[in-house]
Amino acid sequence: MKREDPPVILDSKHLGLLLESLKKSGYLTVGPTVRDGAIVIDEIDKVTQLPVGLTDTQEGGTYRLQSRKDAAFFAYNVGPHSWKKFLFPPEQRLWTLKKNGTKFQFVDIADNTTRYAFIGVRACELQAMSIQDRVFQNGHFQDSHYMNVRKNIFVVAVNCTQAGGTCFCTSMGTGPEADTGYDLALTEVITGSLHYFVVRSQSRNGAKVLEALPHKPATAAQLKTANEMIAQAEHEMGRSLKTHNLKTLLYENYEHPHWEAVASRCLTCANCTMVCPTCFCSTVEDVTDLTGENAERWRKWDSCFSQEFSYVHGGSVRVSAKSRYRQWLTHKLGTWVEQFGTSGCVGCGRCITWCPVGIDITEEVRRVTNGK
Amino acid sequence: MNHADNPLLPREFRVSKIARETHDSFTMELDPAKGAKALHFASGQFNMLYAFGVGEAPISISGNPGNPRTLTHTIRVVGPVTKALHGLGIGDWVGVRGPFGTNWPVRESMGKDIVIVTGGIGLAPLRPAMYEIMENRGKFGNVVLLYGARTPNDILYEREVKKWRSQFDLHVNVTVDRAAGKWKGNVGVVTTLIPNVHFDPYQATALICGPEVMIRYTVIELRKRGVASENIFVSMERNMKCGIGHCGHCQLGPHFVCKDGPVFRYNQVKRLLDIREV
Ligand SMILES: Cc1cc2nc3c(=O)[nH]c(=O)nc-3n(C[C@H](O)[C@H](O)[C@H](O)COP(=O)(O)OP(=O)(O)OC[C@H]3O[C@@H](n4cnc5c(N)ncnc54)[C@H](O)[C@@H]3O)c2cc1C
Ligand code: SF4
Ligand code: SF4
Ligand code: FES
């Protein structure tokens, strides 16, 4: 249930207490940390594992970490990972089946009971989660694997106070401020020697965790500073996208020559679909063990960029790279709306940053719709 | 979540009957495990059939919806899963998820003429509609079945088709692409039968299942006769992994063929059929 308590101030030196408190309550704390030159999401035990004093520069096909002059915990934008890797893992066993005489028995339905605390979820990512909710739990059929994990998460959101070079959440109406779908939301403020978080709680769980931490009421001045910093991010968006009438424009432009032009650059490597926090396509693999008595089914992330994806006996439906890029983009921004009542893009910019050749969804849309 | 509610878990069915149809296809009847409930289905729906350890394939239900205790499937052997299903014997185990998808608008078409146009294995998902129509024969006007097969040896349900052809209350026309020897029937693609068959185009529902090119030409011929496109229904085929709208594989524009289809009103897919590689 959504509730909103008056915002409070948590001193930055107490951030560690938040992690400890969540761990004590039985949560596995996962959050941003540096690995191989990028900020990824992984298990974290202490605040020192956060990317302290680091920021990132992002552009089409470019991602670089840089140091900052301060000791900010969350002064960067989203990296190559997203939270979907916990809710909808890249590889997941759906079930195990055992031959028992002539009977067959499901022995393991792989119910993951891990309770995750997500630390540092951005506004666009909250929206991405709500979009995947529509796919996996709000439709006619529910995915119990997804729901088992989803129902137990504790979400610590972080409002963006700076935007990246490939960000366009304001265009998509998803950020930079978290408005719903979190337990706690932090805005990190650093001014002079002061370093604190403005914290809002939006759930009973959030309020309970917050209560046990040293905090004091936020002053009007502190709130104003935090809001100004968020507004700053809004003005820094590196990209923008016109969404007005976009679905119709895309439907009208299935045959636009620009699809061919993108296809000549696209490597169909599927990077964009792997980093995208809303892409939900998957395939299954059925395996047996050496005895032939036990079988399993695994679900793995798949991508509409592969030719096999659309294979039917006699050949694939989408043979050309052009048709596959068109499928991806038109799905994200057009058909998704019909399917789930929302755009499939939250404007996080990952697909732009992580495309090896810098293909840019915002730019390709402009071309395909002739700038309309 | 228990087994029955989890759409990702196959249920246990036993092969109770196997019949050879043609050189590359067969019909298999499946019964639920002892004590398990029957799966009620409507004509045009499909199941995901699982062969132990090999994988799953979407296969239409080709039996009588009035007798849901037995699930009948007609399968053309083309690859690993269908081959594994073909290798099963009576009493063997098959995993079943389903039934999934939309159905032929048979009930909604009572009082009207019915025109069924299909080719090859496409007769399988239409046979349940034929059963439904025959059981309520008095409630429909003219009933036409136009069926095309590659050769006389590729005709499915040969005895049943013969029986239908002999019935005075059905117009059944079969054609083959090429024929040798004894074949005395039509030769040519199924769409050539449409201009001369008797039905009221303004009071008819058309049901089509076959390859996309065949669908396209069939629609052209039906439209020439005056059948309105909102009265034409087609069954579409796409790669499928989940059957429940979660894996993304079966997308056709905004539609998930597994749950918004496979049966569509032609209007819904008309535009998409005209674009290549959607
Ligand atoms: C709604 C629907 C109903 C169908 N009904 C029947 C039927 O009644 N009888 C019948 O014989 N066949 C039917 N098919 C086609 C059947 O599903 C494929 O022939 C089968 O999946 C082939 O699997 P395979 O492993 O034997 O062969 P392969 O061709 O090697 O298949 C490999 C993979 O490709 C995919 N695939 C291949 N062909 C198709 C296809 N035509 N449609 C969808 N996915 C495909 C599957 O995911 C399969 O796992 C139907 C397909 C759909 C979508
Ligand atoms: S399409 Fe690109 S910008 Fe949009 S949500 Fe996916 S990765 Fe982010
Ligand atoms: S758009 Fe870029 S990231 Fe996506 S498949 Fe093409 S080359 Fe790879
Ligand atoms: S088969 Fe998975 S979405 Fe339709």
Side-chain angles (χ1 to χ4, degrees), chain B residues 156-174:
Chain B
L156 285 187
Y157 315 132
E158 211 181 348
R159 284 195 13 222
E160 217 164 1
V161 170
K162 216 174 249 164
K163 196 183 111 221
W164 288 338
R165 287 175 71 170
S166 69
Q167 265 174 255
F168 69 95
D169 57 352
L170 291 176
H171 305 280
V172 177
N173 254 330
V174 180

PDB file of all heavy atoms in Angstrom, chain B residues 156-174:
ATOM      1  N   LEU B 156      -5.193 -35.772 -45.396  1.00  0.00           N
ATOM      2  CA  LEU B 156      -5.390 -36.181 -44.005  1.00  0.00           C
ATOM      3  C   LEU B 156      -6.777 -36.790 -43.841  1.00  0.00           C
ATOM      4  O   LEU B 156      -7.695 -36.451 -44.577  1.00  0.00           O
ATOM      5  CB  LEU B 156      -5.325 -34.974 -43.070  1.00  0.00           C
ATOM      6  CG  LEU B 156      -3.987 -34.333 -42.730  1.00  0.00           C
ATOM      7  CD1 LEU B 156      -4.224 -33.267 -41.660  1.00  0.00           C
ATOM      8  CD2 LEU B 156      -2.984 -35.350 -42.240  1.00  0.00           C
ATOM      9  N   TYR B 157      -6.918 -37.609 -42.833  1.00  0.00           N
ATOM     10  CA  TYR B 157      -8.217 -38.162 -42.437  1.00  0.00           C
ATOM     11  C   TYR B 157      -8.977 -38.694 -43.644  1.00  0.00           C
ATOM     12  O   TYR B 157     -10.145 -38.349 -43.866  1.00  0.00           O
ATOM     13  CB  TYR B 157      -9.081 -37.096 -41.746  1.00  0.00           C
ATOM     14  CG  TYR B 157      -8.340 -36.256 -40.716  1.00  0.00           C
ATOM     15  CD1 TYR B 157      -8.454 -34.866 -40.721  1.00  0.00           C
ATOM     16  CD2 TYR B 157      -7.540 -36.848 -39.729  1.00  0.00           C
ATOM     17  CE1 TYR B 157      -7.796 -34.080 -39.776  1.00  0.00           C
ATOM     18  CE2 TYR B 157      -6.878 -36.068 -38.791  1.00  0.00           C
ATOM     19  CZ  TYR B 157      -7.007 -34.686 -38.817  1.00  0.00           C
ATOM     20  OH  TYR B 157      -6.366 -33.910 -37.897  1.00  0.00           O
ATOM     21  N   GLU B 158      -8.319 -39.528 -44.427  1.00  0.00           N
ATOM     22  CA  GLU B 158      -8.860 -39.902 -45.728  1.00  0.00           C
ATOM     23  C   GLU B 158     -10.273 -40.468 -45.651  1.00  0.00           C
ATOM     24  O   GLU B 158     -11.152 -40.077 -46.415  1.00  0.00           O
ATOM     25  CB  GLU B 158      -7.916 -40.908 -46.384  1.00  0.00           C
ATOM     26  CG  GLU B 158      -7.939 -40.797 -47.885  1.00  0.00           C
ATOM     27  CD  GLU B 158      -7.022 -41.808 -48.550  1.00  0.00           C
ATOM     28  OE1 GLU B 158      -6.203 -42.429 -47.830  1.00  0.00           O
ATOM     29  OE2 GLU B 158      -7.156 -41.972 -49.761  1.00  0.00           O
ATOM     30  N   ARG B 159     -10.481 -41.395 -44.681  1.00  0.00           N
ATOM     31  CA  ARG B 159     -11.809 -42.029 -44.590  1.00  0.00           C
ATOM     32  C   ARG B 159     -12.873 -41.020 -44.195  1.00  0.00           C
ATOM     33  O   ARG B 159     -13.984 -41.017 -44.713  1.00  0.00           O
ATOM     34  CB  ARG B 159     -11.760 -43.185 -43.595  1.00  0.00           C
ATOM     35  CG  ARG B 159     -11.070 -44.355 -44.243  1.00  0.00           C
ATOM     36  CD  ARG B 159     -11.211 -45.706 -43.566  1.00  0.00           C
ATOM     37  NE  ARG B 159     -12.193 -45.876 -42.533  1.00  0.00           N
ATOM     38  CZ  ARG B 159     -11.921 -46.562 -41.409  1.00  0.00           C
ATOM     39  NH1 ARG B 159     -10.722 -47.053 -41.191  1.00  0.00           N
ATOM     40  NH2 ARG B 159     -12.870 -46.754 -40.516  1.00  0.00           N
ATOM     41  N   GLU B 160     -12.494 -40.159 -43.255  1.00  0.00           N
ATOM     42  CA  GLU B 160     -13.447 -39.165 -42.783  1.00  0.00           C
ATOM     43  C   GLU B 160     -13.800 -38.170 -43.901  1.00  0.00           C
ATOM     44  O   GLU B 160     -14.969 -37.819 -44.090  1.00  0.00           O
ATOM     45  CB  GLU B 160     -12.801 -38.406 -41.620  1.00  0.00           C
ATOM     46  CG  GLU B 160     -13.759 -38.055 -40.539  1.00  0.00           C
ATOM     47  CD  GLU B 160     -13.018 -37.676 -39.265  1.00  0.00           C
ATOM     48  OE1 GLU B 160     -11.769 -37.666 -39.257  1.00  0.00           O
ATOM     49  OE2 GLU B 160     -13.703 -37.381 -38.281  1.00  0.00           O
ATOM     50  N   VAL B 161     -12.774 -37.760 -44.629  1.00  0.00           N
ATOM     51  CA  VAL B 161     -13.005 -36.820 -45.722  1.00  0.00           C
ATOM     52  C   VAL B 161     -13.928 -37.460 -46.765  1.00  0.00           C
ATOM     53  O   VAL B 161     -14.851 -36.832 -47.289  1.00  0.00           O
ATOM     54  CB  VAL B 161     -11.672 -36.362 -46.357  1.00  0.00           C
ATOM     55  CG1 VAL B 161     -11.907 -35.578 -47.643  1.00  0.00           C
ATOM     56  CG2 VAL B 161     -10.876 -35.512 -45.369  1.00  0.00           C
ATOM     57  N   LYS B 162     -13.681 -38.749 -47.033  1.00  0.00           N
ATOM     58  CA  LYS B 162     -14.524 -39.475 -47.990  1.00  0.00           C
ATOM     59  C   LYS B 162     -15.973 -39.479 -47.519  1.00  0.00           C
ATOM     60  O   LYS B 162     -16.906 -39.244 -48.283  1.00  0.00           O
ATOM     61  CB  LYS B 162     -14.010 -40.919 -48.121  1.00  0.00           C
ATOM     62  CG  LYS B 162     -14.132 -41.466 -49.535  1.00  0.00           C
ATOM     63  CD  LYS B 162     -13.482 -42.832 -49.648  1.00  0.00           C
ATOM     64  CE  LYS B 162     -12.231 -42.800 -50.506  1.00  0.00           C
ATOM     65  NZ  LYS B 162     -11.390 -44.005 -50.324  1.00  0.00           N
ATOM     66  N   LYS B 163     -16.154 -39.730 -46.217  1.00  0.00           N
ATOM     67  CA  LYS B 163     -17.490 -39.760 -45.637  1.00  0.00           C
ATOM     68  C   LYS B 163     -18.150 -38.388 -45.760  1.00  0.00           C
ATOM     69  O   LYS B 163     -19.296 -38.274 -46.187  1.00  0.00           O
ATOM     70  CB  LYS B 163     -17.400 -40.170 -44.166  1.00  0.00           C
ATOM     71  CG  LYS B 163     -18.733 -40.605 -43.576  1.00  0.00           C
ATOM     72  CD  LYS B 163     -18.610 -40.933 -42.091  1.00  0.00           C
ATOM     73  CE  LYS B 163     -19.330 -39.902 -41.248  1.00  0.00           C
ATOM     74  NZ  LYS B 163     -18.694 -39.480 -40.049  1.00  0.00           N
ATOM     75  N   TRP B 164     -17.408 -37.366 -45.430  1.00  0.00           N
ATOM     76  CA  TRP B 164     -17.958 -36.010 -45.540  1.00  0.00           C
ATOM     77  C   TRP B 164     -18.386 -35.721 -46.982  1.00  0.00           C
ATOM     78  O   TRP B 164     -19.415 -35.112 -47.222  1.00  0.00           O
ATOM     79  CB  TRP B 164     -16.915 -34.963 -45.101  1.00  0.00           C
ATOM     80  CG  TRP B 164     -16.651 -34.930 -43.616  1.00  0.00           C
ATOM     81  CD1 TRP B 164     -17.469 -35.381 -42.621  1.00  0.00           C
ATOM     82  CD2 TRP B 164     -15.480 -34.410 -42.972  1.00  0.00           C
ATOM     83  NE1 TRP B 164     -16.878 -35.180 -41.401  1.00  0.00           N
ATOM     84  CE2 TRP B 164     -15.656 -34.574 -41.572  1.00  0.00           C
ATOM     85  CE3 TRP B 164     -14.302 -33.814 -43.419  1.00  0.00           C
ATOM     86  CZ2 TRP B 164     -14.712 -34.169 -40.637  1.00  0.00           C
ATOM     87  CZ3 TRP B 164     -13.366 -33.405 -42.486  1.00  0.00           C
ATOM     88  CH2 TRP B 164     -13.561 -33.587 -41.103  1.00  0.00           C
ATOM     89  N   ARG B 165     -17.555 -36.181 -47.919  1.00  0.00           N
ATOM     90  CA  ARG B 165     -17.863 -35.905 -49.333  1.00  0.00           C
ATOM     91  C   ARG B 165     -19.150 -36.561 -49.768  1.00  0.00           C
ATOM     92  O   ARG B 165     -19.829 -36.080 -50.672  1.00  0.00           O
ATOM     93  CB  ARG B 165     -16.724 -36.392 -50.230  1.00  0.00           C
ATOM     94  CG  ARG B 165     -15.501 -35.510 -50.116  1.00  0.00           C
ATOM     95  CD  ARG B 165     -14.353 -36.051 -50.901  1.00  0.00           C
ATOM     96  NE  ARG B 165     -14.551 -35.928 -52.335  1.00  0.00           N
ATOM     97  CZ  ARG B 165     -13.607 -36.155 -53.221  1.00  0.00           C
ATOM     98  NH1 ARG B 165     -12.403 -36.523 -52.807  1.00  0.00           N
ATOM     99  NH2 ARG B 165     -13.852 -36.021 -54.496  1.00  0.00           N
ATOM    100  N   SER B 166     -19.459 -37.697 -49.115  1.00  0.00           N
ATOM    101  CA  SER B 166     -20.664 -38.415 -49.529  1.00  0.00           C
ATOM    102  C   SER B 166     -21.903 -37.845 -48.849  1.00  0.00           C
ATOM    103  O   SER B 166     -23.018 -38.225 -49.157  1.00  0.00           O
ATOM    104  CB  SER B 166     -20.519 -39.897 -49.192  1.00  0.00           C
ATOM    105  OG  SER B 166     -20.552 -40.046 -47.789  1.00  0.00           O
ATOM    106  N   GLN B 167     -21.719 -36.937 -47.910  1.00  0.00           N
ATOM    107  CA  GLN B 167     -22.875 -36.416 -47.187  1.00  0.00           C
ATOM    108  C   GLN B 167     -23.594 -35.344 -47.993  1.00  0.00           C
ATOM    109  O   GLN B 167     -22.962 -34.431 -48.523  1.00  0.00           O
ATOM    110  CB  GLN B 167     -22.424 -35.839 -45.839  1.00  0.00           C
ATOM    111  CG  GLN B 167     -22.560 -36.856 -44.729  1.00  0.00           C
ATOM    112  CD  GLN B 167     -21.980 -36.358 -43.430  1.00  0.00           C
ATOM    113  OE1 GLN B 167     -20.905 -36.786 -43.037  1.00  0.00           O
ATOM    114  NE2 GLN B 167     -22.686 -35.452 -42.767  1.00  0.00           N
ATOM    115  N   PHE B 168     -24.939 -35.481 -48.046  1.00  0.00           N
ATOM    116  CA  PHE B 168     -25.698 -34.528 -48.857  1.00  0.00           C
ATOM    117  C   PHE B 168     -25.719 -33.128 -48.248  1.00  0.00           C
ATOM    118  O   PHE B 168     -25.962 -32.153 -48.914  1.00  0.00           O
ATOM    119  CB  PHE B 168     -27.135 -35.042 -49.051  1.00  0.00           C
ATOM    120  CG  PHE B 168     -27.928 -35.028 -47.790  1.00  0.00           C
ATOM    121  CD1 PHE B 168     -28.747 -33.943 -47.488  1.00  0.00           C
ATOM    122  CD2 PHE B 168     -27.846 -36.080 -46.873  1.00  0.00           C
ATOM    123  CE1 PHE B 168     -29.465 -33.910 -46.313  1.00  0.00           C
ATOM    124  CE2 PHE B 168     -28.558 -36.032 -45.696  1.00  0.00           C
ATOM    125  CZ  PHE B 168     -29.367 -34.954 -45.405  1.00  0.00           C
ATOM    126  N   ASP B 169     -25.471 -33.029 -46.930  1.00  0.00           N
ATOM    127  CA  ASP B 169     -25.564 -31.713 -46.291  1.00  0.00           C
ATOM    128  C   ASP B 169     -24.213 -31.002 -46.171  1.00  0.00           C
ATOM    129  O   ASP B 169     -24.058 -30.045 -45.433  1.00  0.00           O
ATOM    130  CB  ASP B 169     -26.231 -31.819 -44.917  1.00  0.00           C
ATOM    131  CG  ASP B 169     -25.512 -32.791 -43.994  1.00  0.00           C
ATOM    132  OD1 ASP B 169     -24.584 -33.500 -44.474  1.00  0.00           O
ATOM    133  OD2 ASP B 169     -25.854 -32.845 -42.808  1.00  0.00           O
ATOM    134  N   LEU B 170     -23.218 -31.495 -46.896  1.00  0.00           N
ATOM    135  CA  LEU B 170     -21.906 -30.833 -46.914  1.00  0.00           C
ATOM    136  C   LEU B 170     -21.434 -30.696 -48.349  1.00  0.00           C
ATOM    137  O   LEU B 170     -21.681 -31.576 -49.163  1.00  0.00           O
ATOM    138  CB  LEU B 170     -20.867 -31.687 -46.166  1.00  0.00           C
ATOM    139  CG  LEU B 170     -20.958 -31.854 -44.660  1.00  0.00           C
ATOM    140  CD1 LEU B 170     -19.878 -32.821 -44.195  1.00  0.00           C
ATOM    141  CD2 LEU B 170     -20.780 -30.511 -43.968  1.00  0.00           C
ATOM    142  N   HIS B 171     -20.762 -29.582 -48.654  1.00  0.00           N
ATOM    143  CA  HIS B 171     -20.078 -29.483 -49.950  1.00  0.00           C
ATOM    144  C   HIS B 171     -18.598 -29.619 -49.670  1.00  0.00           C
ATOM    145  O   HIS B 171     -17.990 -28.692 -49.145  1.00  0.00           O
ATOM    146  CB  HIS B 171     -20.300 -28.121 -50.605  1.00  0.00           C
ATOM    147  CG  HIS B 171     -21.730 -27.767 -50.768  1.00  0.00           C
ATOM    148  ND1 HIS B 171     -22.505 -28.253 -51.798  1.00  0.00           N
ATOM    149  CD2 HIS B 171     -22.530 -26.968 -50.033  1.00  0.00           C
ATOM    150  CE1 HIS B 171     -23.732 -27.768 -51.684  1.00  0.00           C
ATOM    151  NE2 HIS B 171     -23.777 -26.991 -50.623  1.00  0.00           N
ATOM    152  N   VAL B 172     -18.047 -30.756 -50.009  1.00  0.00           N
ATOM    153  CA  VAL B 172     -16.629 -30.964 -49.750  1.00  0.00           C
ATOM    154  C   VAL B 172     -15.898 -31.109 -51.071  1.00  0.00           C
ATOM    155  O   VAL B 172     -16.271 -31.924 -51.914  1.00  0.00           O
ATOM    156  CB  VAL B 172     -16.397 -32.209 -48.871  1.00  0.00           C
ATOM    157  CG1 VAL B 172     -14.910 -32.448 -48.668  1.00  0.00           C
ATOM    158  CG2 VAL B 172     -17.105 -32.048 -47.531  1.00  0.00           C
ATOM    159  N   ASN B 173     -14.876 -30.292 -51.249  1.00  0.00           N
ATOM    160  CA  ASN B 173     -14.092 -30.336 -52.475  1.00  0.00           C
ATOM    161  C   ASN B 173     -12.633 -30.487 -52.122  1.00  0.00           C
ATOM    162  O   ASN B 173     -12.097 -29.683 -51.353  1.00  0.00           O
ATOM    163  CB  ASN B 173     -14.269 -29.032 -53.247  1.00  0.00           C
ATOM    164  CG  ASN B 173     -15.148 -29.235 -54.449  1.00  0.00           C
ATOM    165  OD1 ASN B 173     -15.164 -30.328 -55.013  1.00  0.00           O
ATOM    166  ND2 ASN B 173     -15.856 -28.192 -54.842  1.00  0.00           N
ATOM    167  N   VAL B 174     -11.996 -31.483 -52.697  1.00  0.00           N
ATOM    168  CA  VAL B 174     -10.585 -31.699 -52.403  1.00  0.00           C
ATOM    169  C   VAL B 174      -9.800 -31.500 -53.691  1.00  0.00           C
ATOM    170  O   VAL B 174     -10.250 -31.891 -54.764  1.00  0.00           O
ATOM    171  CB  VAL B 174     -10.348 -33.120 -51.854  1.00  0.00           C
ATOM    172  CG1 VAL B 174      -8.871 -33.341 -51.552  1.00  0.00           C
ATOM    173  CG2 VAL B 174     -11.183 -33.342 -50.599  1.00  0.00           C
TER     174      VAL B 174
END
